[in-house]
Amino acid sequence: MTSLYEQLGGEPAVSAAVDIFYRKMLGDERVAAFFDDVDMDSQAAKQKGFLTMVLGGPNHYTGQDMRTGHRHLVARGLNDSHVDVVIEHLGATLTELGATAEQVAAVAALANSVRDDVLDRPQGASPARC
Amino acid sequence: MAAILYRGQRVELAPGESVLDGLLGAGIDAPHSCRSGHCRTCLARAVDGPPPPGSQEGLKDAWRELGLFLTCKGVPTADLAITTVDDLGLEVGATVTEIARIGRDVVRLRLITDAPFEHRGGQFVSLVRADGLARSYSTANLPGRDDFLELHVRVIKDGAMSGWIARELAAGTRVAVRGPDGECFYVPGNPQTPLLLVGTGTGLAPLFAILQDALRHGHRGPIVLLQGAVDAGGLYLVEELEALARANPLVEYVRCLLRGEPGVGLEVGPIHSILKARWPSLRGWKVFLCGDPDLVLDLRKRVFLAGAALRDIHADAFVMKPRASSSV
């Protein structure tokens, strides 16, 4: 089975997705403050890695990177509600790019699987979510 | 089989091996992280030979033009000499030929380098004094057209370099230039793309070069130049830019002041408000932002939210300290 990464068009599609997704995040006051002091180019590179991973594209994802990469944000109050916002915008972005509801749900499940890493909790600690 | 030349060493690649794999396999501590083409830690520059197919995917066109590529992606098809990004930058001796005050606190320097100094108009260089003091300035002219290098220096009170330039530097003085660096320059190939150039202070210098380069290349899309200052005294090159805009219907030149009376080609208010009112959507635009760092970083976010793609936004924040981007 080909990955959603390939179905959407590979690298160029993910580049386009990063632009859409990042713009949604920056424009959302629930999460925008977390991006105040970041370099936009390196942030976009990280988002591209994340999107590639959740779309099943080539990646060397490690939960440890996700943990250390967000620890300073957890200290600033990053919590489940913000991860929900990420998943919401991720879904909207993929829908704009032509993904089906089933595909969006599959990506959301993958994104949810790193929730504990992002929030620096022991794996499996997160409350059940639909 | 292709080989990589790096810091005087020749590394033979195995079939199917990426540049990064080859370097690491040869025991070279080449910078890298994600190995998937996202993080850009492994960025290198092809100085002789073609970058591997696919290794420039997703990079800004200015980077591609400079031969930058991701060593973790693609397999070289031919021998390739590379440098890491840190190794870039040659130093060449130069003679100051002209010093002219062209604004309230702006001095224009022209230099002739001892050897051809390869750069793109709008990139920045370090100007190095005989005693080693160095500061970065953007180039304001076009290397292919002029035989001199033009820099615009903002004179800062107590500035070590700019104070010396304003008070003591004389034509004939020997200096050196190092570089070039930076991604603020015109890349031919998309002549219809609308261009937005926004600069404050001597952030105008690279934009002036980009504007001239675009016109020289027969750019056919609109070119909007916003020159920002606190008051009219902070502007410079106004007559030249007005003449340029009159001669080229594609060019719109707008002075943006925080204080003053609005007039023809002159708006009053914060640049971001003027931008939002006049150009609410920047989808498909290529944007260059140069000058005051706070303003540049703020505008970068705003033009992105207004629809400009990340890879089409080039920001050059002029930091007022040594060894940073173009500065004092």
Side-chain angles (χ1 to χ4, degrees):
Chain A
M1 199 183 77
T2 57
S3 64
L4 187 52
Y5 177 85
E6 287 158 44
Q7 290 170 37
L8 289 176
E11 193 281 331
V14 175
S15 279
V18 169
D19 259 72
I20 298 170
F21 174 69
Y22 193 3
R23 198 172 285 120
K24 286 181 190 297
M25 295 288 287
L26 268 184
D28 187 329
E29 60 185 26
R30 293 174 292 176
V31 290
F34 290 112
F35 297 97
D36 273 352
D37 306 317
V38 302
D39 176 79
M40 287 178 69
D41 284 330
S42 59
Q43 177 61 25
K46 287 174 189 157
Q47 294 192 6
K48 193 170 169 190
F50 170 68
L51 289 184
T52 304
M53 187 273 288
V54 295
L55 294 173
N59 72 91
H60 287 79
Y61 169 80
T62 71
Q64 203 52 39
D65 293 342
M66 220 62 171
R67 238 167 235 281
T68 51
H70 290 90
R71 206 163 269 160
H72 66 293
L73 297 180
V74 173
R76 277 168 54 188
L78 189 79
N79 62 36
D80 278 303
S81 74
H82 305 116
V83 178
D84 293 341
V85 172
V86 170
I87 292 172
E88 174 189 327
H89 289 314
L90 181 60
T93 300
L94 297 176
T95 304
E96 272 181 46
L97 289 171
T100 65
E102 292 76 35
Q103 289 171 324
V104 169
V107 170
L110 245 172
N112 252 318
S113 72
V114 305
R115 183 183 286 267
D116 291 330
D117 287 329
V118 168
L119 296 176
D120 202 18
R121 295 188 295 226
Q123 269 289 349
S126 65
R129 286 175 179 273
C130 47
Chain B
M1 209 54 62
I4 301 302
L5 301 162
Y6 175 64
R7 291 186 178 168
Q9 197 173 338
R10 183 181 168 89
V11 176
E12 301 288 342
L13 295 182
E17 211 172 29
S18 70
V19 173
L20 180 63
D21 288 339
L23 293 176
L24 295 174
I28 294 167
D29 186 20
H32 67 281
S33 177
C34 80
R35 306 183 74 156
S36 311
H38 312 303
C39 74
R40 300 179 187 168
T41 308
C42 69
L43 202 64
R45 182 176 178 183
V47 288
D48 192 15
S55 65
Q56 295 183 302
E57 251 180 25
L59 298 184
K60 293 186 180 195
D61 54 5
W63 291 15
R64 292 201 293 266
E65 188 89 353
L66 293 171
L68 297 178
F69 70 101
L70 299 169
T71 60
C72 73
K73 288 185 83 178
V75 176
T77 50
D79 283 4
L80 181 61
I82 66 165
T83 61
T84 57
V85 179
D86 290 345
D87 289 344
L88 295 178
L90 298 167
E91 188 169 311
V92 58
T95 303
V96 176
T97 56
E98 190 195 305
I99 307 143
R101 171 106 24 187
I102 57 170
R104 185 176 60 190
D105 51 3
V106 180
V107 168
R108 182 180 69 202
L109 274 193
R110 286 181 174 166
L111 317 159
I112 305 257
T113 52
D114 298 345
F117 182 72
E118 208 175 297
H119 73 286
R120 310 290 300 257
Q123 285 192 294
F124 60 89
V125 301
S126 285
L127 179 69
V128 187
R129 199 166 69 178
D131 64 358
L133 181 74
R135 292 289 187 276
S136 298
Y137 302 99
S138 288
T139 60
N141 68 324
L142 304 182
R145 184 192 63 188
D146 305 324
D147 58 359
F148 55 84
L149 193 63
E150 177 170 320
L151 309 176
H152 296 171
V153 178
R154 185 171 160 212
V155 181
I156 309 288
K157 192 174 179 295
D158 304 325
M161 180 67 101
S162 67
W164 173 73
I165 289 170
R167 285 188 297 273
E168 295 173 45
L169 182 62
T173 303
R174 294 285 297 160
V175 292
V177 288
R178 194 187 297 149
D181 204 348
E183 58 180 48
C184 275
F185 58 84
Y186 182 75
V187 178
N190 295 296
Q192 308 285 2
T193 307
L195 302 180
L196 172 65
L197 317 174
V198 186
T200 60
T202 47
L204 183 65
L207 303 181
F208 191 46
I210 290 166
L211 175 58
Q212 296 174 80
D213 213 10
L215 293 173
R216 180 172 67 160
H217 279 96
H219 195 81
R220 295 196 295 276
I223 306 173
V224 174
L225 169 63
L226 304 188
Q227 183 185 21
V230 174
D231 53 41
L235 300 171
Y236 70 102
L237 285 184
V238 173
E239 282 174 24
E240 289 87 339
L241 291 167
E242 281 180 333
L244 237 161
R246 269 196 306 274
N248 298 280
L250 290 170
V251 177
E252 178 165 7
Y253 168 51
V254 182
R255 290 161 288 157
C256 303
L257 301 180
L258 284 177
R259 288 201 297 268
E261 290 300 316
V264 177
L266 195 163
E267 308 243 6
V268 176
I271 293 180
H272 67 82
S273 307
I274 295 165
L275 204 51
K276 193 168 183 182
R278 292 283 314 276
W279 294 274
S281 169
L282 295 171
R283 203 184 169 120
W285 286 64
K286 194 165 176 65
V287 182
F288 295 89
L289 308 167
C290 304
D292 176 73
D294 290 339
L295 183 93
V296 162
L297 297 180
D298 177 65
L299 285 178
R300 175 155 75 161
K301 191 187 282 186
R302 291 177 189 271
V303 299
F304 175 58
L305 288 172
L310 274 175
R311 74 172 69 176
D312 288 328
I313 304 173
H314 301 278
D316 194 355
F318 286 23
V319 181
M320 296 299 166
K321 64 182 180 200
R323 300 184 58 79
S325 180
S326 312
S327 63
V328 185

